């Protein structure tokens, strides 16, 4: 979705600048045009040559270079971009942006621009929490600058806390969300609609250190939440423990167990569409141990007494005034896929089932591609093998079509 977009990276001087290479690679992979303005301090961490090679474009650093100005003036640099990203946004460059300084090419471009600006802060934890930096962030936020991160973590200075720059994938997601927000209303058929998506596995405690879970990666569910948000929906994503990043522009509620997932879904309130993509554990411990179950030499292994988990999809599908207009479930099967999925649609009471074969040979669990069949009251649609993102976009499109169609009663009026 970044194809043809023009991204201007303002690369400042921080150790996190090394992540810029991966960021450029990810943006170029999506066919975005990337150009860099490199500060003097930035050039101490990454070389103009490496940026030039990766962007396949000239790198701009000198405001007073006659060649640079004649080829591309500082105003033109911002005019020629759809979005500017300050990466890493050091305490220094944030202070200069907040103060309106224009004493080098980077600060001048940032002052001259009327394009959306995203900043990815990276600095020592004390510099980030310092009142001066926080005041600058407040000033910049009030002026419409968007921020991604910083994350908590161990930093290059061996301290722990907020200050670590977001990962390149997170920055790309934030760029996508910002560019989406710029799109005209015609591209947002789900504007004003609320969506609930469940994703990832659940973890059911055996004792305080052990749990029952499954291999769900959350890739498909997270992609669906992102795709619905791209079409303008107000999305709540209830996610089990996953390693995929939170989709940008989506309210994420993180849970562990199926009981917590159900409570979070009910707490999300009335929605127009619910998509249950989570791989909810079917059973939980009848009585999880409150202390770690100890191994006893020579004793038989403990037997785990299980009890069924609540069925979230079936609960959300129950008829009533609060039922979403559309409830979509998933059927992950290893045999008799279609027959089992058709049966599941009736048993759960949902409107649509997205059926996919998760036999190990298909590589669906944790993989990037998916072959699905969309089962509704109208019949079965076989979709070709697509990336999980494309499956998500196609499903979000079908949901938008359904929700924007007049209901049968309205149509008859
Ligand atoms: O019953 P089964 O697990 O095969 O059903 C799969 C569908 O039901 C998925 O959409 C899954 O998210 C949902 N489900 C649920 N709560 C459960 C079990 C499954 O929402 N306890």
């Amino acid at each position: 979705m970044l194809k043809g977009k023009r991204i201007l990276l303002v690369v400042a001087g921080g150790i996190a600048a090394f992540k810029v290479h991966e960021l450029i690679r990810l943006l170029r992979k999506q066919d975005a045009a990337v150009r860099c303005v490199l500060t003097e301090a930035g050039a101490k961490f990454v070389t103009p040559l490496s940026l030039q090679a990766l962007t396949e474009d000239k790198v701009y650093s000198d405001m007073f270079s006659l060649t640079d100005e004649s080829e591309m003036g500082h105003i033109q640099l911002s005019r020629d971009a759809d979005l500017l990203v300050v990466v890493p946004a050091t305490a220094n460059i944030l202070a200069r942006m907040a103060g309106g300084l224009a004493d080098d090419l980077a600060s001048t471009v940032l002052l001259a621009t009327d394009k959306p600006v995203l900043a990815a802060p990276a600095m020592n934890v004390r510099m980030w929490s310092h009142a001066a930096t926080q005041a600058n962030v407040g000033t910049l936020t009030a002026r419409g600058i968007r921020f991604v991160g910083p994350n908590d973590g161990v930093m290059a200075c061996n301290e722990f806390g907020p200050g670590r720059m977001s990962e390149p994938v997170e920055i790309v997601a934030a760029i996508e969300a910002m560019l989406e927000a710029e799109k005209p209303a015609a591209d947002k058929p789900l504007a004003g609609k609320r969506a609930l998506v469940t994703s990832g596995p659940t973890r059911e405690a055996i004792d305080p250190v052990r749990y029952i879970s499954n291999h769900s990666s959350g890739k498909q569910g997270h992609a669906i939440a992102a795709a619905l948000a791209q079409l303008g929906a107000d999305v709540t994503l209830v996610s089990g423990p996953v390693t995929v990043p939170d989709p940008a522009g989506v309210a994420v509620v993180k849970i562990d167990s199926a009981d917590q997932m159900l409570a979070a879904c009910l707490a999300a309130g009335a929605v127009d569409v619910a998509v249950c993509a989570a791989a909810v554990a079917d059973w939980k411990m009848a009585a999880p141990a409150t202390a770690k179950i100890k191994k006893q030499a020579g004793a038989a292994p403990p037997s785990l007494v299980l009890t069924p988990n609540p069925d979230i999809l079936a609960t959300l599908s129950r008829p009533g005034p609060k039922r979403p207009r559309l409830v979509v479930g998933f059927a992950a099967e290893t045999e008799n896929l279609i027959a089992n999925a058709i049966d599941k649609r009736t048993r759960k009471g949902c409107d649509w089932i997205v059926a996919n074969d998760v036999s190990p040979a298909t590589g669906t669990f944790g993989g990037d591609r998916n072959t699905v069949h969309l089962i509704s009251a109208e019949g079965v649609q076989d979709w070709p093998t697509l990336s999980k993102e494309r499956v998500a976009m196609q499903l979000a499109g079908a949901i938008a079509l359904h929700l924007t169609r007049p209901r049968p009663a309205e149509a008859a009026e």
Side-chain angles (χ1 to χ4, degrees):
M1 61 164 289
L2 292 178
K3 191 174 168 65
K5 294 292 177 197
R6 299 160 308 167
I7 315 291
L8 182 65
L9 302 182
V10 176
V11 182
I15 184 72
F18 78 91
K19 292 187 184 173
V20 166
H21 293 154
E22 173 66 2
L23 176 61
I24 297 173
R25 202 185 61 74
L26 293 176
L27 293 170
R28 300 275 299 146
K29 205 167 130 195
Q30 290 204 45
D31 288 331
V34 187
R35 179 172 277 159
C36 293
V37 168
L38 181 62
T39 67
E40 200 183 327
K44 307 272 186 217
F45 295 91
V46 288
T47 68
L49 205 60
S50 60
L51 298 182
Q52 185 175 308
L54 288 166
T55 58
E56 295 182 81
D57 200 343
K58 187 174 155 60
V59 173
Y60 294 83
S61 345
D62 187 356
M63 190 158 60
F64 301 109
S65 149
L66 285 177
T67 340
D68 281 10
E69 273 295 305
S70 62
E71 279 176 8
M72 172 71 65
H74 55 276
I75 306 288
Q76 198 62 32
L77 272 171
S78 113
R79 275 199 197 130
D80 271 5
D82 295 305
L83 183 112
L84 279 68
V85 188
V86 188
V87 58
T90 58
N92 180 47
I93 201 158
L94 291 177
R96 286 160 64 222
M97 287 164 73
L101 295 194
D103 57 357
D104 67 355
L105 184 62
S107 53
T108 307
V109 168
L110 286 164
L111 192 63
T113 191
D114 58 354
K115 298 294 171 59
V117 178
L118 174 70
M123 65 196 76
N124 165 275
V125 55
R126 266 186 290 279
M127 290 169 82
W128 172 251
S129 37
H130 195 285
T133 305
Q134 288 304 307
N136 290 333
V137 170
T139 303
L140 293 170
T141 305
R143 284 186 204 148
I145 308 285
R146 297 294 196 81
F147 286 85
V148 53
N151 292 342
D152 280 359
V154 182
M155 279 166 284
C157 51
N158 275 333
E159 289 189 45
F160 184 86
R164 194 181 156 90
M165 191 168 87
S166 295
E167 293 305 319
V169 279
E170 295 172 297
I171 300 175
V172 171
I175 292 172
E176 287 174 343
M178 276 178 81
L179 290 172
E180 272 308 317
E182 301 278 304
K183 276 194 176 172
D187 289 334
K188 308 240 169 259
L190 289 176
K193 300 274 192 271
R194 295 199 66 224
L196 171 70
V197 180
T198 69
S199 183
T202 64
R203 277 184 189 172
E204 311 300 332
I206 295 173
D207 66 17
V209 296
R210 304 182 179 96
Y211 55 81
I212 301 168
S213 192
N214 59 65
H215 291 299
S216 168
S217 64
K219 279 185 188 168
Q220 187 63 81
H222 278 52
I224 292 167
L228 291 168
Q230 273 172 29
L231 296 189
D234 172 2
V235 183
T236 300
L237 171 65
V238 181
S239 173
V242 293
T243 54
V244 286
D246 290 352
V250 165
V252 185
V253 184
K254 294 184 181 169
I255 52 83
D256 277 328
S257 67
D259 283 323
Q260 291 167 351
M261 182 171 270
L262 177 61
C265 288
L266 297 177
V271 294
D272 298 282
V273 55
V275 182
C276 294
V280 185
D282 289 316
W283 303 281
K284 62 182 170 190
M285 287 281 283
T290 49
K292 185 180 171 192
I293 303 170
K294 299 294 283 177
K295 248 184 319 206
Q296 310 276 6
S303 6
L304 305 182
V305 181
L306 303 177
T307 184
N309 258 325
D311 193 311
I312 299 161
L313 176 62
T315 309
L316 297 176
S317 300
R318 258 183 227 144
K322 285 204 182 141
R323 187 194 192 275
R325 183 167 162 194
L326 183 66
V327 183
V328 185
F330 272 69
E333 303 283 344
T334 51
E335 51 197 0
N336 299 331
L337 177 62
I338 304 291
N340 281 336
I342 291 174
D343 175 55
K344 191 164 292 179
R345 194 182 82 85
T346 332
R347 252 188 311 113
K348 303 260 186 174
C350 59
D351 304 293
W352 296 354
I353 283 275
V354 180
N356 57 350
D357 187 344
V358 291
S359 316
T362 65
T364 301
F365 256 147
D368 291 323
R369 294 172 77 73
N370 208 350
T371 312
V372 308
H373 312 266
L374 182 62
I375 292 159
S376 67
E378 277 88 52
V380 180
Q381 268 181 29
D382 300 320
W383 291 7
T385 300
L386 298 166
S387 69
K388 288 186 176 174
E389 281 74 24
R390 298 270 351 150
V391 169
M393 279 158 72
Q394 197 157 318
L395 183 65
I399 290 171
L401 207 63
H402 184 86
L403 292 184
T404 50
R405 247 191 344 226
R407 293 164 197 248
E410 290 167 7
E413 277 167 13

